[in-house]
Amino acid sequence: MRILKIIALMSIGLLLILLLAFWGFKQNFPGKQMANTVSVKLSSLTGIPFEIQNFELGWTKIHTTEIALRTPKWLARTPDIRLLILEKIELPFSPIITSGNVGISGKLHEGTVFVSTGLLKQKKLNISLDGALLERIPLFSIVPYVFVSGALSFSTIIENFHALQQQKTKLPEGSLKGKITDTRIRIAGGTALLDLHIPELDLTEVQFELQLGPKISIKKFQLKGDLEGTIEGSIRLNEKNPQMSLLNLDVRLTPSASLKQELLSINTLLRSFQCGETISINIKGPLSRPNFPERNRC
């Protein structure tokens, strides 16, 4: 019995020592230096400037109030703004201990984002987003004359995460699958759009599935609502100048009866691109200035 008491007292003492040591480390946690180091690493890795608020150490997690992504230099003639803002970012300790995986969660413009990878191997990176509101994302405000709303959800697997970390490549490879619901697109601009009246578009759902890599393959891009149809094709990325990435897209869309009525003013123009009731066109050329669309064979 006496031995048990001694073991119990030693255990309590050791626990107190560990708690005091952790408390001291917590009080002197280098959160500012760590945030600066991570932001520099991520900016170098992605080519996108990162801003990270100081990290804080809690008893069960490391967290920060905000991570912002600013406009990269290759987006020419685009104002320097914070394109995406992640809030309440948390890295809990328990998954690291129990499964050897690192999981980071947070909020992205009213949506929930989760990022995970293995602690040791880090071969793949998993990212999921649920319910981000497009109208709250500053990225969508930089397109002139265009207002977009809707809820975005997706999941992606980056297969070459280790190679990206080693800076052997800057282009992620993997898969991306998701959807946008209750989408509304409004275009305005008067003379900037040659005085053409372009009606507001309501899309109940947009489903997409992409294969990522030096060539982004659009395996599925399906629209439902005012426009019904698909977009297929590819985008060949230009690593040095992303705006010069090459498009090759086949677009097949059928407008709803109500939308047809609103498009009467440009009916003559649309007729040259139609196969029956369907607008069927091919779009090629650089992302920054694609060629004029050509009608596909009917």
Side-chain angles (χ1 to χ4, degrees):
M1 183 65 70
R2 187 175 181 182
I3 295 176
L4 291 176
K5 288 182 179 180
I6 294 173
I7 293 174
L9 288 173
M10 290 179 62
S11 300
I12 293 171
L14 180 61
L15 180 60
L16 287 174
I17 292 172
L18 291 174
L19 288 174
L20 289 172
F22 183 80
W23 174 256
F25 179 68
K26 183 175 182 295
Q27 293 298 104
N28 296 281
F29 184 67
K32 183 176 181 180
Q33 295 89 334
M34 183 179 292
N36 290 337
T37 300
V38 173
S39 63
V40 169
K41 177 68 174 178
L42 289 174
S43 299
S44 173
L45 185 65
T46 64
I48 301 174
F50 275 73
E51 293 179 351
I52 302 178
Q53 296 297 317
N54 295 352
F55 286 112
E56 297 180 18
L57 177 64
W59 291 104
T60 61
K61 63 188 177 183
I62 294 175
H63 59 98
T64 181
T65 56
E66 183 181 276
I67 298 177
L69 286 68
R70 300 195 69 90
T71 307
K73 293 181 179 179
W74 49 263
L75 277 178
R77 297 182 297 278
T78 301
D80 182 21
I81 63 173
R82 300 197 298 174
L83 300 178
L84 292 174
I85 302 170
L86 294 93
E87 299 176 305
K88 300 179 181 178
I89 309 301
E90 298 181 349
L91 170 61
F93 299 141
S94 56
I96 299 175
I97 298 171
T98 58
S99 63
N101 292 323
V102 178
I104 301 173
S105 62
K107 296 291 184 180
L108 177 66
H109 304 290
E110 306 299 325
T112 301
V113 63
F114 183 73
V115 181
S116 65
T117 187
L119 177 62
L120 299 177
K121 295 183 178 181
Q122 297 185 1
K123 291 183 177 181
K124 296 181 180 180
L125 182 70
N126 297 277
I127 305 173
S128 64
L129 174 66
D130 184 34
L133 299 181
L134 299 183
E135 61 270 27
R136 299 288 184 89
I137 301 177
L139 172 65
F140 290 92
S141 68
I142 65 176
V143 182
Y145 314 119
V146 178
F147 171 80
V148 180
S149 66
L152 170 65
S153 300
F154 70 77
S155 61
T156 183
I157 301 175
I158 306 301
E159 303 280 356
N160 63 334
F161 183 53
H162 182 72
L164 287 169
Q165 288 185 300
Q166 300 297 317
Q167 296 188 333
K168 296 179 180 179
T169 179
K170 292 185 177 180
L171 299 177
E173 298 179 8
S175 59
L176 172 65
K177 183 178 182 180
K179 64 180 179 180
I180 308 173
T181 55
D182 299 324
T183 308
R184 180 170 295 177
I185 303 172
R186 186 174 68 247
I187 301 176
T191 54
L193 293 169
L194 304 177
D195 291 322
L196 295 176
H197 171 67
I198 300 179
E200 185 174 293
L201 296 178
D202 289 323
L203 301 173
T204 55
E205 188 174 75
V206 178
Q207 297 181 355
F208 57 88
E209 184 175 353
L210 311 176
Q211 189 68 37
L212 305 178
K215 178 183 177 181
I216 298 177
S217 298
I218 302 175
K219 301 176 67 175
K220 178 182 182 180
F221 199 97
Q222 186 172 22
L223 294 82
K224 298 179 181 179
D226 282 345
L227 286 173
E228 300 266 351
T230 60
I231 300 174
E232 299 176 343
S234 63
I235 304 172
R236 187 170 294 279
L237 297 175
N238 186 321
E239 185 175 339
K240 295 182 178 179
N241 188 357
Q243 292 194 90
M244 295 304 294
S245 300
L246 297 177
L247 301 172
N248 186 3
L249 305 176
D250 285 320
V251 181
R252 295 178 177 84
L253 300 173
T254 303
S256 65
S258 59
L259 183 59
K260 288 178 186 177
Q261 286 295 116
E262 296 194 62
L263 292 174
L264 286 176
S265 60
I266 56 173
N267 192 47
T268 303
L269 175 63
L270 291 179
R271 193 177 295 119
S272 61
F273 298 121
Q274 286 182 290
C275 290
E277 297 294 319
T278 300
I279 300 168
S280 182
I281 59 176
N282 178 259
I283 302 174
K284 289 184 178 181
L287 182 62
S288 59
R289 187 173 294 181
N291 302 330
F292 192 75
E294 297 180 355
R295 186 179 71 173
N296 288 316
R297 291 184 179 180
C298 296

